Amino acid sequence: MSRWMEALTIERGGFRIRVPESWWEFDVRPESRDDGIREMVNDRVRRNPELAEQRGVLEAFLRKAAKDAWASGALYCGCMAETFGGEVPVTGSITVSLIGARTESGELLPTDPALIVGQIKQIRPKKEGDAWRKVSTVEIEGIGTAARTQGVEDVKIPGDDRTIRAVLMQTFIPVPGQEGKVALVAGSSQVLDLADSFFDVFDAITSTFRFVGE
C-alpha cells in the first residue's frame, strides 16, 4: 500500500523514524496548521490533479489529524492520502508523542512494558462488527520490549462527547534515562476495511523508531 523502496527518515530532538516518502508531514500548531494544510493540499493537487475533487475531504482529514496530534502532545505527525485508482482517498496517520502520567496522588505510572500491558484493558467483541482491542508486547530491534495495543476502536473526539471508529495501533516505548516517560507511536485510519493492511504498515513504520542523542 505504500512505496517502501522510497523512504524518508524523520529526525527530531531525541528520536528518528522512517516513513514512506509519499507520506506528508505537517505543522500541528493551532496558529499555523490550517494555512500549512491548505498549502500542502494545493501542492499535492497541482502534482496530482486527480485529487482535485477530494480537496475538501483531504483538508478535513488533515485538520482533524493535526488537531488530535496537537492535543496528544505530538512531536511528529505524518499522513498518507492516496486514491489507488478509487474515487475516495485512502487515509492514515502516524504520530509520535512524548508522554508521562501520574496517579492522583502524584506517583509516576510505570513504564515497564509488562506493567503497561497489565493496565490496559483488552476489548473482546461480542459480535461481528463490534470494536475490539488486543494488548501485547513487541520486540523492536535496537529498542527492546515495548507495550502495544492493536484493534478497531471507538475513539473519543477531543472536546466532544462523540466517538469515531478507527483502526488503531499504539506502541509505548520507554524513554531511556527519563523516569515515567514513554514515546507513544500511534497509527490510525478510518478505513476499516483495510485494517490488516494498515496494521502491517503501522508495524513497519514503528519498527524503524530509534532514540538518538540530543
Side-chain angles (χ1 to χ4, degrees):
M1 188 162 59
S2 295
R3 297 185 292 273
W4 278 98
M5 291 183 66
E6 300 176 354
L8 180 66
T9 299
I10 307 298
E11 187 164 329
R12 295 289 180 270
F15 74 88
R16 68 174 180 266
I17 193 168
R18 289 176 65 81
V19 298
E21 194 173 50
S22 59
W23 284 46
W24 310 349
E25 178 186 4
F26 56 93
D27 183 2
V28 299
R29 294 172 298 176
E31 66 272 17
S32 54
R33 63 192 179 207
D34 285 352
D35 288 341
I37 288 170
R38 190 178 304 108
E39 291 177 6
M40 184 169 57
V41 171
N42 286 341
D43 177 66
R44 288 298 174 113
V45 169
R46 280 194 297 269
R47 287 188 282 164
N48 302 276
E50 68 274 13
L51 293 176
E53 293 183 1
Q54 302 298 331
R55 185 192 301 269
V57 174
L58 294 176
E59 288 191 9
F61 165 72
L62 294 171
R63 283 196 297 270
K64 182 183 184 305
K67 181 180 179 181
D68 292 349
W70 178 260
S72 72
L75 301 176
Y76 166 78
C77 182
C79 291
M80 65 160 289
E82 300 188 35
T83 59
F84 298 106
E87 295 182 358
V88 179
V90 175
T91 56
S93 66
I94 281 279
T95 61
V96 180
S97 308
L98 183 66
I99 63 173
R102 295 176 181 269
T103 65
E104 292 183 358
S105 62
E107 297 177 348
L108 287 170
L109 290 172
T111 59
D112 179 86
L115 295 178
I116 292 176
V117 167
Q119 291 185 340
I120 301 177
K121 182 180 179 181
Q122 298 213 43
I123 300 175
R124 295 180 173 84
K126 295 181 179 179
K127 63 181 184 301
E128 185 176 355
D130 282 355
W132 60 275
R133 177 200 296 150
K134 294 180 180 179
V135 186
S136 64
T137 58
V138 295
E139 295 297 321
I140 300 176
E141 184 179 353
I143 294 292
T145 306
R148 171 173 289 174
T149 70
Q150 173 178 314
V152 175
E153 303 188 36
D154 292 324
V155 182
K156 190 176 185 303
I157 300 173
D160 201 317
D161 293 332
R162 295 173 297 173
T163 61
I164 190 166
R165 185 157 291 186
V167 180
L168 184 63
M169 177 183 286
Q170 299 183 99
T171 306
F172 301 82
I173 305 171
V175 179
Q178 294 193 37
E179 186 180 9
K181 293 285 187 180
V182 297
L184 171 60
V185 183
S188 66
S189 173
Q190 295 175 32
V191 187
L192 306 185
D193 291 343
L194 295 178
D196 289 340
S197 295
F198 271 111
F199 289 142
D200 289 342
V201 171
F202 297 152
D203 176 66
I205 294 174
T206 304
S207 71
T208 70
F209 181 92
R210 299 290 186 273
F211 291 108
V212 298
E214 297 290 343

